[in-house]
Amino acid sequence: MNKINSIYIVDDDPITVFGIRKILNSIVECASIETFKNGKLAIEAIKTVVENSSEIPDIIFLDINMPIMDGWQFMAEFIKLPIVKKIRINIITSSIDATDYENWEIFRNKTHHVVDYIHKPAKRSEIEKSTIPA
Amino acid sequence: MLNSTKSYVRDYLVKQLPSATAFINTNFEVIQASDKWIDSFDFSAPDVFGATLFELFGGVSKKWLTELSNCFEGKPGGLYIHTSTNSMGAETHIQWKNLPWYDENENIIGAILHTEDVTQSVVNEEKLEKLDAFLQEKSEKAKIGSWESPINGEIWWDEMTRKIHGASADYIPTIDTIFSFYKEGKSKQKILNAVKMAHENGQAWSERLQITTPNGKEKWVISAGKPLYKNNKIIGLIGTFQDVTKRVLLDAKTKASEKLLKTLINHLPINVYLKDINSKKILVNKNEVEFCGFKNEKEVIGKDDYHFLDKVSAEICIEEDQYVIKNAKPILGKENIIVDRSGKATTFLTSKIPMLDDHGNVDGLVGFSLDISDLKAKEEELRTLINITALQNKKLVDFAHIISHNLRSHAANFSMLLEFLITEKSDSEKKKITEMLVSASDGLLETLNNLNEVVAISTNIKTEKTPVHLKKVVNKICGSLKYLIQENNATIINEINENLKVNVIPEYLDNIIANFITNGVKYKSPFRDPIIKLSTSKEKQSIVLTIEDNGIGIDLKKHGDKLFGMYKTFHNNEDAKGIGLFFTKKQIEAMNGKVTVNSKVAIGTTFKIYFNE
């Protein structure tokens, strides 16, 4: 079983969070899976760990439509952070809006991190692929 | 020479002869001559006698010499006219007659020369000939004939008169037959009357009449005549006869084409006008006359646009005219809004084309103006319709996105949970999944309800608006929110004009005001009690309701475009669903209004609702 130190799930929908967690539990060994209800809470947490030089998550599951700070606003802040390590960010969404695809294209070309795009409902196989660290 | 001495004695008999006569001997010497003969050649009396004709006339023509020789042989010569130029340079015509001169014994002793100055009669004759030729020419060219009808005598027609009548060469015009040429009715009556009046009152006439020639050809003629007098008594009539058929037919043709042209331009569905170089109208069609506010074109002709249009419009038109006239260049398909003196505006599509005279100089312009006001109105209508359609289309797309996103996320959850449920072994986990399925189902139902609401608002555009007292509505809403307001220690300041009424869908207005007040209270600053002020103003065509709070505010740079979006929340507020402002905006728009927002973080937010009257 794949071993991962830290995974963040950023989504305001408890059912999605439950689902991702359930799948993750069955396919990876992870010391820490943290959940954030919106982008703002997540980015603040990451900023703190960067400042404290503590564990930066290896994989982030990121929803797009969230209150206060959505997925794209989170991405804009995140790629500005001085993180050398390649992080895998899985955008996980039910959106079929063309602008979301465009945003994804923009961000994946802008950063050295791996940015993936997964449609809800997330399949076990897809989650499996998306847990291979970048 | 015989009786030579005697012959030099002037014979007084001869001297006084009333005709110019000279006697010469066979040596051509002048023996006797009348004073008249001497004077007529400017000779002096004593020198003439004994001088030869050769000496006197500086030579004698061959013809004359032969004549004289014939005379000496007893053969008298004929009359002939000698033309010469006198000392004054004028032409003189002398008629000569040479006769043999016999003595008592019938012996020819010389010749008698008779001369007569016929200059005057020759000139007269020439003149007459010329006049005759002129007359002939004139008559031929102008097809004008002459005639004379003496009271006692035969009627005389000249060639042309005869030709115009189509009369044969042997036709003899008589007072009984000449009137039969005239067409029965008007023409015959007129000519009979004219002739009668000429005889009775000495009245001259000139009438345009119709005749029919013997071979049935119809002609238009002008018959003119007047009485001829002698000793104050009418002795007959003279006159002219002119064929004007071509002219009359041409006139008729011109008139017909003029009429056709007039009918054409009068019935064209555009305004047509001709203007002179001073922009004065010289020809207008019916449409233009009506546009100018008149019934008769006479009331329009000779006037410029200042008489018919508002000053500014007249200036525009005349400026155009002068451009066309000065530059000899047309203006084509120009769109103008023209205001007449009554203030009515018409949109015209106008073309103005310069008119050139024979020398290529501009002497006016011809203008065409097509009233496109209706077209313009339709275009405007269409544009509005397109805008509405575009807006509706955008709303539809937005709605499709909302549906797809919100329904898809629920569907995804169902699908995921069901998959878990199928494979799950643990009962407690199964129970947990089932609970989640129930919550997913509730979420889906709520979403569907919201979408229903959106559809209702969007399709309820036609709902009748009724005027309501805005201030009273606000007071009513504040009453129903009493507990929320009291709990939060909020102050509502209602500064709305007492009598102001707005045209709204009442349920929507209730919801809108309740929503803004609730938001103002809910998103209060942690450092002060909420104060919400409502006031109204007028902007252009709209009544504006301003709702101002002193709450936490919102960063519009970050969230401005999503503020009124569906399921958008911006604060860590547990019961925020992101649906209130979304519905509020939809309802305002359904009433043809709009809403704007102004906000400063930690200071407060101001919403402005525009009620489109």
Side-chain angles (χ1 to χ4, degrees), chain B residues 298-328:
Chain B
K298 280 182 190 135
E299 292 164 301
V300 176
I301 280 171
K303 293 176 186 165
D304 61 28
D305 284 324
Y306 283 113
H307 286 86
F308 316 112
L309 305 180
D310 160 80
K311 197 171 162 257
V312 178
S313 290
E315 271 165 12
I316 292 170
C317 289
I318 287 170
E319 205 173 290
E320 282 175 2
D321 294 349
Q322 293 309 313
Y323 168 86
V324 171
I325 286 160
K326 293 215 167 84
N327 300 296

Side-chain angles (χ1 to χ4, degrees), chain B residues 10 15 33 35 38-39 42-50:
Chain B
R10 286 201 71 185
K15 180 183 158 76
D35 281 350
I38 295 166
D39 287 346
D42 286 341
F43 298 141
S44 48
D47 301 342
V48 169
F49 302 110

Side-chain angles (χ1 to χ4, degrees), chain A residues 13-20 22-23 37-38 40-41 63-70 73 77 93-98 100 119-124, chain B residues 400-401 404-406 408-417 419-420 423-424 429 432-433 436-437 439-440 558-559 562 567-574:
Chain A
D13 176 22
I15 297 173
T16 310
V17 174
F18 167 80
I20 295 171
K22 199 169 165 60
I23 296 168
K37 275 193 164 175
N38 63 53
K40 193 163 170 60
L41 296 171
D63 185 22
I64 295 173
N65 287 294
M66 290 179 291
I68 303 167
M69 181 187 271
D70 68 17
Q73 287 169 322
E77 300 248 336
T93 182
S94 58
S95 171
I96 49 161
D97 194 332
D100 285 334
H119 275 290
K120 286 182 186 175
K123 297 264 172 337
R124 182 180 293 268
Chain B
H401 275 141
S404 73
H405 184 260
N406 293 297
R408 274 178 65 88
S409 56
H410 288 294
N413 283 345
F414 275 113
S415 156
M416 185 180 72
L417 290 171
E419 207 185 296
F420 289 159
T423 50
E424 187 58 57
E429 195 71 3
K432 202 174 171 189
I433 292 167
M436 280 198 170
L437 271 171
S439 118
K558 264 191 189 164
H559 306 298
K562 289 178 197 148
Y567 303 126
K568 301 291 178 192
T569 52
F570 310 94
H571 302 287
N572 291 315
N573 199 327
E574 279 303 320

